[in-house]
Amino acid sequence: MPPHATILLSRSDVRSLLSMDAAIAAVEAAFAAHGEGRALMPPKVYLELDAYHGDLRAMPAYVDGAAGVKWVNSHPENPARFDLPAVMGMYILTDPATALPLAVMDATLLTAVRTGAAAAIASKHLAPRPPKTVGFVGCGVQARTLLEAHRAVYGDTFEVLCADVSEHAARAFAEEARGRVVSIEEASGADVVNASTPARAPVVKRAWVKDGAHVNAIGADAHGKQELDPAILVEGRVVIDDWEQATHSGEVNVPLETGLLRREQIHATLGEVLAGKRPGREGARITVFDSTGLAVQDVALARVVHAAARERGVGTGFDFFR
């Protein structure tokens, strides 16, 4: 491959190069760097496209010698109208010393994997003990990597509880996961609860979540979206991924705007917990991780994928500047 070639990597390439164990290690290190102030991550930029019922987002970051940007969308109507995924992304990994694009790769799988990894890392540090049950409220694409990541952390020792407004989706996921189809109420009562829905009104009620449980709130990634009864946040210990993103578009955004939750009630960022600046779990309170998805997670995984591609000779070389 020419020395200045950019490696082009498809989704199947990324899938072959990125293991969940490697993803968890990279994302955990990226969170720690973020918590220690060693990362550069400007706020996520939203390009709202109301006429097309979607949006585009630009997510640049630099951490530990790697720089890059993700260009990703959210178009919920894509599957039904165009037979396209609701979320698609491309990642450009750049050499920070020269600005040479080292790789251009699919970021759709990258996004799903790093999101699953982040949730499992939060469970590892915030849940009181290895779970006997893990509930999934929402059984779409994201549920697959959430499950894979939790099995990477805990092994295959917990029961998988699968709930979705679509019975077909719940049954398909349960079959893949060797789990059980249950009501949203039962899934919300698990030791660890993963909520990954596009909801704009709470679907997980406080009465269903048991004291001492850990909840990963994954679905809220835009202003006005929420999945959890605000009482869960008010009564629990809330850990966010980033102050700017979470308060604008995370699970906490609506309760903060309505005054049901105050900023000082938010305990810490996950990076601060991993960096040892703030404690993780204490006592029997519910813990909540509000995940909006950070650009430092993406660049960390893109570097892992690029290094593996170089080592194994995977991908297509292309010289953009010839």
Side-chain angles (χ1 to χ4, degrees):
M1 191 175 295
H4 298 307
T6 301
I7 302 176
L8 307 182
L9 296 166
S10 68
R11 184 182 307 187
S12 59
D13 292 332
V14 173
R15 183 179 290 108
S16 72
L17 294 167
L18 183 61
S19 72
M20 184 56 78
D21 286 338
I24 288 172
V27 170
E28 195 161 17
F31 269 119
H34 181 249
E36 293 165 2
R38 294 188 288 106
L40 298 175
M41 191 182 71
K44 185 188 302 186
V45 176
Y46 285 82
L47 184 62
E48 302 288 350
L49 301 170
D50 294 340
Y52 301 98
H53 309 288
D55 64 66
L56 288 161
R57 308 163 191 192
M59 301 176 63
Y62 168 87
V63 64
D64 292 339
V69 62
K70 182 169 74 174
W71 184 239
V72 63
N73 77 302
S74 176
H75 283 63
E77 297 180 9
N78 263 4
R81 295 182 62 191
F82 304 110
D83 194 28
L84 286 170
V87 177
M88 296 177 286
M90 300 294 294
Y91 201 89
I92 304 173
L93 181 69
T94 302
D95 181 345
T98 65
L100 180 73
L102 301 172
V104 176
M105 67 185 73
D106 167 71
T108 313
L109 181 64
L110 203 73
T111 300
V113 170
R114 59 87 151 141
T115 303
I121 291 164
S123 297
K124 171 184 169 183
H125 290 276
L126 299 177
R129 64 189 65 85
K132 294 181 179 178
T133 54
V134 177
F136 293 84
V137 179
C139 296
V141 172
Q142 189 61 70
R144 272 74 178 171
T145 59
L146 287 165
L147 174 60
E148 183 184 357
H150 279 80
R151 281 180 169 161
V153 168
Y154 293 116
D156 194 7
T157 59
F158 52 82
E159 184 181 16
V160 178
L161 306 180
C162 312
D164 197 286
V165 292
S166 164
E167 184 177 348
H168 172 74
R171 290 193 179 282
F173 179 55
E175 184 175 346
E176 291 176 31
R178 305 185 304 280
R180 181 161 57 92
V181 176
V182 299
S183 65
I184 292 176
E185 178 177 354
E186 186 172 351
S188 300
D191 297 328
V192 170
V193 182
N194 294 299
S196 58
T197 74
R200 288 186 171 268
V203 294
V204 177
K205 297 182 180 180
R206 168 61 185 97
W208 300 343
V209 179
K210 62 187 179 185
D211 293 339
H214 172 68
V215 182
N216 290 309
I218 306 299
D221 60 354
H223 185 260
K225 295 177 74 171
Q226 61 177 151
E227 299 181 284
L228 308 184
D229 181 342
I232 298 170
L233 305 176
V234 172
E235 296 179 29
R237 170 168 281 190
V238 179
V239 174
I240 58 178
D241 56 6
D242 178 75
W243 280 99
E244 176 73 23
Q245 286 188 193
T247 55
H248 172 265
S249 59
E251 185 62 38
V252 299
N253 87 91
V254 174
L256 284 172
E257 197 167 86
T258 59
L260 292 173
L261 183 71
R262 303 187 309 277
R263 283 179 67 97
E264 55 266 29
Q265 290 176 282
I266 297 173
H267 174 65
T269 67
L270 184 57
E272 289 172 331
V273 172
L274 295 183
K277 293 183 176 181
R278 298 284 286 164
R281 169 174 285 279
E282 291 179 336
R285 291 172 66 185
I286 295 169
T287 53
V288 178
F289 174 52
D290 182 358
S291 174
T292 59
L294 303 187
V296 292
Q297 298 168 237
D298 296 310
V299 72
L301 289 204
R303 178 170 59 179
V304 169
V305 170
H306 174 253
R310 297 284 297 186
E311 180 181 341
R312 302 181 200 175
V314 174
T316 302
F318 187 84
D319 190 342
F320 281 98
F321 308 109
R322 182 173 52 193

